[in-house]
Amino acid sequence: MKVNILKKQLIVLLGLLLVSTWSVKAQDHDHDHDHDHDHGHAHEHEGGTAFYLAEHGDFEIVFEDGELELAYHIGAGAIVDGNALEEDTEFHPEDLIVVLTEEAEILRPEGQQWEPTGVDANEPLWVIPQIEQEGVPDLGVGVAIPAGVFVDDIVTLSLMAIAGPGEVSLWENDAFGQPNFLLSMHEGILESIFPNDLHAHYNWGFTAPGDYILVFQASGNLTEGGLASTVAIYRFKVTEGHICLGDLPGDVNGDCVVDEHDLEIVEANLGRSAPEWPGDHDHDHAHDHDHDHDDDDDDHDHDHDHEDDDHDHDHEDDDHDHDHEGN
C-alpha cells in the first residue's frame, strides 16, 4: 500500500524536482583502499545525457560547503557512450543513464529469501552485481562526509518514488551468498542507513526490461541541529539485447552488431535496391499495400470516368429527343 501511494505521488515529485537545479561539486576524500578518488581533480561532465555501460563508478553521497549532495563519480576507464573515460568524471545524477544489457540477465535463485527482488524463482532478473562483471556497470555506493557532521555519523538513503516497468531492489550477499536487502520495492523496504565514510558494492536488481526513474533522498540530522537533505533523479535502462549508441556502419539488420548475419543479407541481395532487402518486410508490405491502393484508386478513377461519359451521353440523348419534340 505504501509503495502504491508513492507511485501515485511520482508525478508531483518529478514535477517539483525537474524545475529544481542541482549542483555537484568536487570533494577531496578517500574511501576504499582499492578505489581511492581525488575529487579535487575529477573532471565535471558537461553536455547532454550519457550512457554508462561498464567498469567502475560510484553512486555518491557527499557533504560540501554545508550542503548534502547526491552525485555520480565515474572512474577513469569506465565505458561511457561506448568509449573509455580518460579521467575520473563527476556526473549530475539526471545526466547519466546506467545501462544493463543482456550480460546482466540472470535467473532468480530459488528460496524465499530472494522474494524481495519482486520476481518468481527461475524468472529473469537483471542485476548490477556486487562482484565486478565484464560488460556490466560496476556501480558501488560511496559516502564521503566528514566525521562529526551528522549525529552518530550516519546518513539515510530513501527511495522516494519509482517509475518503470518492473520492481527494483538493492541487496548485499553475505559470505554464504545469502541476500541482505537494503532496499526492496516489493517488500516496502524504502530506506537504509549508511555510515559517513563508506565505499561498498551491492547488487542492484530490476525485474523487467525498460526505462526506470528512481527518486532518491539523502538526509541526516546535523550535530549542530537541524536536518540536511537532498533529492535527485537517477535513471536506469534495462534491455534484453544490445543498446545502439549511434549509427553503426555495416549493421544492416539493426541489431547493433556487425556480424555474419549482416554479411548474409548483403550477399543475398547484391544488385537489389535497399528497399527490397529482407529485414524491410514491413516496408515491402506497406509498399505493396500502398501500390494496391494506388491500383484501386486508378480503377476507381477509371470507373468514375466511365460513369461521367455515360452521364454525358444520357444528356446528349435527352437533348436530341427534346429537339425532335420541338420540331
Side-chain angles (χ1 to χ4, degrees):
M1 179 65 70
K2 187 176 181 180
V3 174
N4 290 334
I5 293 173
L6 286 172
K7 284 182 177 179
K8 294 177 182 178
Q9 293 174 341
L10 177 61
I11 295 176
V12 176
L13 282 170
L14 292 180
L16 293 173
L17 291 169
L18 290 173
V19 298
S20 302
T21 58
W22 297 273
S23 62
V24 181
K25 302 177 181 178
Q27 167 78 17
D28 289 333
H29 69 276
D30 292 327
H31 59 84
D32 192 78
H33 298 294
D34 295 328
H35 297 288
D36 291 339
H37 300 310
D38 184 358
H39 288 257
H41 297 88
H43 171 73
E44 186 167 347
H45 171 73
E46 296 178 357
T49 301
F51 292 89
Y52 171 35
L53 302 169
E55 302 298 330
H56 185 259
D58 284 326
F59 175 115
E60 285 199 325
I61 307 172
V62 299
F63 189 86
E64 184 179 75
D65 297 332
E67 294 184 357
L68 191 61
E69 299 175 349
L70 286 165
Y72 272 125
H73 182 98
I74 308 301
I79 308 302
V80 176
D81 286 344
N83 300 304
L85 292 179
E86 296 182 355
E87 57 185 326
D88 288 6
T89 305
E90 297 283 335
F91 287 84
H92 292 258
E94 68 274 18
D95 289 340
L96 191 69
I97 298 177
V98 181
V99 179
L100 287 77
T101 61
E102 59 187 3
E103 285 83 0
E105 183 179 348
I106 66 170
L107 296 180
R108 201 216 85 177
E110 296 183 353
Q112 293 184 347
Q113 68 270 31
W114 295 99
E115 289 184 0
T117 59
V119 68
D120 293 335
N122 299 311
E123 290 296 320
L125 180 65
W126 285 261
V127 177
I128 297 175
Q130 183 173 330
I131 299 175
E132 184 176 0
Q133 176 182 327
E134 184 178 357
V136 181
D138 183 28
L139 184 61
V141 175
V143 183
I145 301 173
V149 171
F150 291 119
V151 175
D152 296 328
D153 282 331
I154 58 174
V155 63
T156 301
L157 182 67
S158 303
L159 184 54
M160 302 296 291
I162 304 169
E167 302 196 34
V168 180
S169 56
L170 179 72
W171 73 91
E172 181 178 22
N173 292 336
D174 64 19
F176 302 98
Q178 298 304 302
N180 174 34
F181 284 86
L182 287 75
L183 299 171
S184 167
M185 178 179 170
H186 183 74
E187 296 293 322
I189 305 171
L190 302 176
E191 67 178 33
S192 190
I193 295 174
F194 296 95
N196 69 301
D197 185 13
L198 168 77
H199 180 269
H201 281 257
Y202 306 103
N203 302 279
W204 302 73
F206 300 84
T207 62
D211 296 321
Y212 292 79
I213 294 177
L214 278 58
V215 182
F216 280 103
Q217 179 188 55
S219 61
N221 293 310
L222 295 166
T223 54
E224 297 179 353
L227 177 73
S229 68
T230 185
V231 179
I233 294 174
Y234 286 78
R235 302 161 68 185
F236 293 79
K237 175 182 285 292
V238 179
T239 173
E240 293 180 282
H242 299 275
I243 180 170
C244 290
L245 300 176
D247 294 333
L248 183 62
D251 180 21
V252 178
N253 59 6
D255 63 355
C256 305
V257 179
V258 178
D259 55 18
E260 66 275 8
H261 301 296
D262 299 295
L263 182 59
E264 289 172 1
I265 293 176
V266 173
E267 290 178 343
N269 293 277
L270 290 175
R272 300 175 67 183
S273 61
E276 298 174 345
W277 285 17
D280 288 332
H281 297 301
D282 293 339
H283 177 83
D284 293 342
H285 179 71
H287 178 75
D288 293 341
H289 186 65
D290 292 340
H291 183 71
D292 292 340
H293 273 293
D294 292 340
D295 291 342
D296 291 342
D297 291 341
D298 291 342
D299 292 340
H300 179 73
D301 292 340
H302 185 67
D303 293 341
H304 185 70
D305 291 341
H306 275 292
E307 291 174 2
D308 288 342
D309 291 342
D310 292 342
H311 185 67
D312 292 338
H313 183 71
D314 291 341
H315 272 290
E316 291 174 1
D317 290 343
D318 290 342
D319 292 340
H320 183 72
D321 294 340
H322 182 71
D323 291 339
H324 275 288
E325 291 174 3
N327 292 333

